[in-house]
Amino acid sequence: MKKLKFQKPTGMHDILGFDQRCFEKISDKVKEIAEFYSFNKIDTPILEDCELFNKGVGLITDIIQKEMYTLKTKGGDCLALRPEGTASVVRAYIEHGMFSYPQPVKLYYMGPFFRYERPQSGRYRQFWQFGFETIGEDHPVYDAQIIQIACGFFSDLNIAISLEINSIGDKECRPAYRRILVRYLKSKSEALCSDCKKRTKDNPLRVLDCKNQKCKEIIDGAPQIMDHLCPDCHSHFKKTLEYLDEMEVSYQLNPHLVRGLDYYTRTVFEFSTLKENEKTLALGGGGRYDKLVKNLGGKDTPAVGVSFGVERIAELMKQINYTDNKKQKNRVFLAQLGDIGKRKSLKLMGELRKHKVATSESFGKDSLKTQMTRASRIGCKVAIIIGQTEALNNSAIIKDMDTGEQKTIEIKDIVMEIKRQLKS
Ligand code: AMP
């Protein structure tokens, strides 16, 4: 086959057809939930100062070391295609002085993100995420609320999920745990993979989520942070779990869950697909990031958030045969014959739009049979037909696509009649 002159960049994809409908459904659901919980939408620039992510996400992370798309502008600035959403939201929180707003400030976003990863099924170089951030409160009730939001989202879409949760402590207790962990990992260093040997020095907590089988065996015997949390972190985590129990949210404690970004403190959690006998797929995750606002130059401000991968959720919607015929069913097909028929139809379409009646057409076609076949294929409930005679009489035929019944009425009454039929 002849190679196309232009193809989408490796690891990137077009969103169209059914995928686009799933994206829209996800976006509508996110908006509905955000409005219910009083989250305001924020759109941040696709490009940000590289330093924002270096400082925010952390230099010793895969995102910064291997995956960030960076560029130098003509003015000499170093900008990065955003690899994640939280750092940008926090930058905006600081830049717009949101610490003076009533706290917590609740923000949500949805848009494309970029990571130079090895493309594979469910992993892209440009992918979409949506996320919720609650900034300005350290109370565990907000950790639980963020999880409640995520659970509500999946339950509304009939997607079964599993939730894993852990606490990774804070600056009081994590350094001591880190030392204990490093001592343990060094004693097993011979058997660790080369990445983990390096991580033992640079970012030892990351060793805990290595997928290498040999490393996993060593990790199973590693000291657990849960046994080393300071009293405040311990109590915070205990309360978070109590709220989840109260809401009857099921979760698994995973002492090895650390997440791949440096900004997390205390609660961390991850949502995955729930499939028996199959490898689970990460759908999203989040946690508390109490030091990020200060780290990026703001006041000491606690926060908690979550983000999800849209492509993976859209894929699941396909697998559970998600259908959304409602929109099609409420659609009208406007069929026409001849030149005056076209003219009258074009004008009528403007009227239908004003009254928010979704309308399809095949104005380029002259055969009525072709047009009606298309109307059935789309699944329209009603068709309007303006033939030569009707056009001359200022009338139109309305046809019920289910029963085949039809009647002729004056054009001026069409919109009202159509609305009545669509409601019935
Ligand atoms: P993270 O920001 O790494 O915690 O990712 C949160 C979620 O975004 C993941 O669980 C995935 O669902 C999704 N995600 C992350 N990276 C990618 C990618 N390269 N391609 C598709 N989805 C991704």
Side-chain angles (χ1 to χ4, degrees):
M1 208 170 71
K2 194 167 164 248
K3 193 172 179 309
L4 294 173
K5 191 165 178 190
F6 294 112
Q7 290 179 320
K8 55 194 162 37
T10 307
M12 303 198 177
H13 64 122
D14 301 309
I15 306 155
L16 44 90
F18 189 66
D19 280 337
Q20 191 59 256
R21 295 226 295 285
C22 291
F23 267 58
E24 269 170 23
K25 175 76 189 173
I26 293 170
S27 165
D28 290 348
K29 183 53 71 188
V30 168
K31 184 163 185 258
E32 175 199 314
I33 291 180
E35 279 171 3
F36 178 84
Y37 285 96
S38 307
F39 282 75
N40 287 315
K41 188 159 193 205
I42 178 165
D43 286 311
T44 59
I46 301 282
L47 290 162
E48 296 267 6
D49 193 324
C50 293
E51 228 8 61
L52 175 71
F53 300 115
N54 293 346
K55 262 194 113 94
V57 176
L59 278 176
I60 319 284
T61 56
D62 284 353
I63 291 185
I64 301 301
Q65 291 192 329
K66 303 184 197 156
E67 299 167 3
M68 204 152 70
Y69 284 86
T70 56
L71 60 97
K72 242 200 164 81
T73 67
K74 286 182 182 154
D77 296 330
C78 172
L79 297 182
L81 287 176
R82 58 186 192 180
E84 62 97 53
T86 305
S88 306
V89 172
V90 168
R91 194 255 320 124
Y93 174 90
I94 300 168
E95 195 167 340
H96 298 281
M98 292 190 215
F99 52 82
S100 65
Y101 297 8
Q103 304 292 302
V105 172
K106 293 175 163 186
L107 297 168
Y108 81 100
Y109 58 84
M110 178 160 163
F113 293 86
F114 304 83
R115 293 183 196 170
Y116 192 80
E117 296 196 76
R118 201 162 50 80
Q120 49 178 269
S121 157
R123 195 193 286 162
Y124 301 95
R125 289 181 174 168
Q126 174 174 335
F127 57 97
W128 282 58
Q129 281 190 340
F130 65 86
F132 295 86
E133 314 284 358
T134 300
I135 309 178
E137 272 286 358
D138 65 359
H139 201 285
V141 73
Y142 283 107
D143 303 45
Q145 186 180 70
I146 283 281
I147 291 173
Q148 183 187 45
I149 288 171
C151 291
F153 171 86
F154 286 114
S155 131
D156 282 6
L157 291 182
N158 287 323
I159 294 176
I161 40 108
S162 75
L163 164 66
E164 293 192 341
I165 188 164
N166 190 22
S167 172
I168 54 168
D170 64 4
K171 68 175 185 352
E172 294 304 318
C173 48
R174 207 186 314 159
Y177 170 70
R178 200 182 137 115
R179 280 195 295 278
I180 295 166
L181 180 66
V182 169
R183 207 177 309 137
Y184 171 81
L185 293 174
K186 277 189 174 161
S187 73
K188 310 279 177 190
S189 151
E190 286 302 295
L192 289 173
C193 72
S194 57
D195 273 352
C196 282
K197 280 194 181 112
K198 205 165 162 296
R199 285 180 193 137
T200 302
K201 265 203 280 132
D202 300 337
N203 199 348
L205 263 71
R206 288 304 311 279
V207 174
L208 297 178
D209 68 3
C210 180
K211 303 288 174 272
N212 179 302
Q213 195 45 43
K214 272 204 150 159
C215 295
K216 273 183 165 177
E217 284 163 23
I218 294 170
I219 292 159
D220 281 341
Q224 299 188 356
I225 185 143
M226 205 54 61
D227 301 324
H228 300 271
L229 292 179
C230 61
D232 283 352
C233 285
H234 189 268
S235 144
H236 193 280
F237 192 49
K238 190 165 161 271
K239 282 199 188 120
T240 304
L241 298 184
E242 281 167 7
Y243 289 126
L244 296 183
D245 291 337
E246 181 66 35
M247 296 188 291
E248 296 178 15
V249 167
S250 54
Y251 56 84
Q252 283 96 47
L253 294 175
N254 177 353
H256 301 141
L257 182 69
V258 290
R259 313 261 309 128
L261 302 91
D262 267 7
Y263 51 63
Y264 287 114
T265 48
R266 294 190 166 171
T267 321
V268 287
F269 52 85
E270 225 160 65
F271 287 89
S272 310
T273 50
L274 181 66
K275 284 199 178 158
E276 273 170 37
N277 309 325
E278 260 186 60
K279 211 169 153 264
T280 58
L281 182 68
L283 298 176
R288 205 156 251 296
Y289 50 94
D290 290 342
K291 294 293 151 212
L292 184 60
V293 181
K294 184 153 188 234
N295 197 17
L296 293 178
K299 295 185 178 174
D300 209 356
T301 311
V304 61
V306 68
S307 69
F308 289 97
V310 178
E311 280 82 357
R312 292 185 189 181
I313 296 170
E315 188 54 40
L316 286 175
M317 288 166 78
K318 269 191 225 171
Q319 287 171 18
I320 60 169
N321 292 327
Y322 158 76
T323 44
D324 191 8
N325 289 329
K326 203 171 110 255
K327 278 187 190 160
Q328 301 297 319
K329 271 281 167 207
N330 282 330
R331 210 162 243 288
V332 164
F333 195 90
L334 184 46
Q336 41 65 46
L337 288 175
D339 196 42
I340 338 182
K342 279 194 190 18
R343 265 190 269 158
K344 298 264 173 182
S345 298
L346 199 56
K347 186 162 174 228
L348 178 60
M349 199 151 176
E351 281 305 303
L352 290 163
R353 194 203 64 79
K354 274 190 211 152
H355 289 83
K356 301 192 170 48
V357 178
T359 308
S360 289
E361 46 72 29
S362 288
F363 286 164
K365 300 275 180 294
D366 285 326
S367 145
L368 190 58
K369 192 163 168 248
T370 311
Q371 295 182 69
M372 296 321 279
T373 308
R374 181 148 168 73
S376 318
R377 207 169 279 159
I378 294 171
C380 295
K381 195 171 168 184
V382 187
I384 304 169
I385 304 163
I386 306 184
Q388 313 262 28
T389 326
E390 289 78 25
L392 289 172
N393 299 339
N394 272 328
S395 65
I397 297 167
I398 295 187
K399 179 172 179 175
D400 183 314
M401 295 298 288
D402 291 331
T403 62
E405 257 173 62
Q406 54 182 62
K407 59 182 170 196
T408 305
I409 63 168
E410 285 186 48
I411 274 208
K412 68 174 175 45
D413 299 328
I414 283 270
V415 175
M416 284 311 131
E417 177 58 21
I418 287 288
K419 284 178 110 173
R420 197 190 60 72
Q421 288 213 12
L422 287 179
K423 261 197 211 128
S424 65

